[in-house]
Amino acid sequence: MTEVILHIYDVTNSASDKTNNTVLQINRFFKDGIGLGGIFHSAVQVYGDEEWSFGFCEQGTGVFSCPAGKNPMYSYRESIVLGKTNCSIFKVNQILRELSREWPGFLYDLLSKNCNHFCDEFCERLGAPKLPGWVNRFANAGDAAMEMAENTALRLRQAKTEIVSASKVAYRFLAGVASSSNSPESPGSSSRESPRFQSTWFKNIVSIGAKPSSNSGVECENLEVTQQQQHEAIRRQNSSRYEAA
């Protein structure tokens, strides 16, 4: 058995000293002050003097190694012994070859597939405990917020689709009533609208609802015109019926 060691860095690779100082202040407050988390880079050391991590690149694998605790891109913070692994050095090398194929650099994502996610996956395959929650808590919280926003947008699109579908079903029902009602009107039904007029009126409503305008003012104006046309059609229809009577 051999130890699995996690090396943690403050992410201070910005070209701006102001940004780097802000990251250090955030980490001191949220991690050192209240134990919540921070903005960290991590790498795993197992067998030898190299640490392994993951980063962005346009081509090839994003898995890379460097001397343990000496990544020049970040500010070294601390090391944590996560536990031990039963894997042989041969097995560890096999796991690293697999991870190198599965983690291409272009898939790097700050919130959902970063260096801390890689270290978690590496530790899991080694049979060692995963990273402490505070190491990647900020990224996990951001990823959860993004997922919630995407789910909300999806539900809104689904609701809109269901409303339009329901409108079309209702229109087809009214159209069926109109086609099956070919008998002449009885004297007592002269004050009601004809099924054909009802279905035409509902078709207009569906068309208006299914094609939202980018200009709300124009849409309201068109709706008012449509309503005026409908009222005028009803008035003319009732007048002709009264005259025929």
Side-chain angles (χ1 to χ4, degrees):
M1 297 179 69
T2 188
E3 286 186 336
V4 178
I5 303 172
L6 181 72
H7 297 287
I8 302 171
Y9 300 78
D10 293 308
V11 178
T12 54
N13 59 335
S14 171
S16 168
D17 291 337
K18 183 177 180 180
T19 300
N20 292 334
N21 289 332
T22 299
V23 169
L24 291 174
Q25 291 174 9
I26 289 173
N27 290 352
R28 278 195 291 266
F29 178 78
F30 285 100
K31 169 55 176 67
D32 302 335
I34 60 179
L36 181 61
I39 305 172
F40 303 113
H41 171 80
S42 64
V44 171
Q45 178 185 2
V46 56
Y47 288 114
D49 298 325
E50 297 285 300
E51 64 178 34
W52 295 86
S53 191
F54 172 72
F56 172 81
C57 61
E58 294 183 355
Q59 295 181 347
T61 182
V63 178
F64 67 94
S65 67
C66 67
K70 297 181 180 179
N71 189 320
M73 294 179 60
Y74 308 107
S75 299
Y76 187 78
R77 183 179 183 87
E78 61 181 299
S79 295
I80 301 174
V81 177
L82 296 176
K84 293 186 177 183
T85 180
N86 289 321
C87 295
S88 65
I89 189 169
F90 174 80
K91 180 63 176 177
V92 170
N93 289 334
Q94 180 183 352
I95 292 172
L96 286 169
R97 285 194 297 270
E98 293 171 354
L99 290 172
S100 295
R101 291 192 297 268
E102 297 168 9
W103 290 70
F106 70 89
L107 288 182
Y108 179 91
D109 183 88
L110 182 62
L111 297 181
S112 62
K113 202 176 183 70
N114 61 29
C115 57
N116 302 317
H117 295 108
F118 169 82
C119 290
D120 258 343
E121 178 70 19
F122 190 15
C123 288
E124 182 176 359
R125 298 196 189 188
L126 292 172
K130 290 190 173 185
L131 280 61
W134 57 265
V135 176
N136 206 30
R137 181 164 289 135
F138 280 17
N140 290 335
D143 191 39
M146 288 293 293
E147 183 177 358
M148 183 180 298
E150 291 172 357
N151 289 339
T152 301
L154 176 60
R155 288 171 185 166
L156 288 174
R157 289 195 296 269
Q158 289 174 340
K160 180 179 178 181
T161 301
E162 290 171 1
I163 291 171
V164 173
S165 298
S167 299
K168 291 180 178 179
V169 169
Y171 165 67
R172 285 197 294 270
F173 172 77
L174 288 179
V177 171
S179 62
S180 63
S181 301
N182 295 321
S183 59
E185 293 182 7
S186 62
S189 64
S190 60
S191 62
R192 295 183 299 176
E193 301 171 17
S194 68
R196 177 175 296 180
F197 179 79
Q198 289 176 342
S199 63
T200 302
W201 173 80
F202 194 82
K203 182 177 181 181
N204 289 335
I205 294 296
V206 172
S207 298
I208 292 172
K211 298 177 181 179
S213 170
S214 60
N215 190 322
S216 58
V218 174
E219 184 176 4
C220 292
E221 182 180 350
N222 290 339
L223 181 58
E224 291 176 0
V225 171
T226 302
Q227 290 174 339
Q228 291 173 1
Q229 292 173 346
Q230 292 167 1
H231 293 323
E232 181 64 23
I234 293 172
R235 186 187 65 78
R236 288 199 301 268
Q237 187 178 38
N238 290 337
S239 297
S240 62
R241 287 175 180 171
Y242 293 142
E243 290 174 1

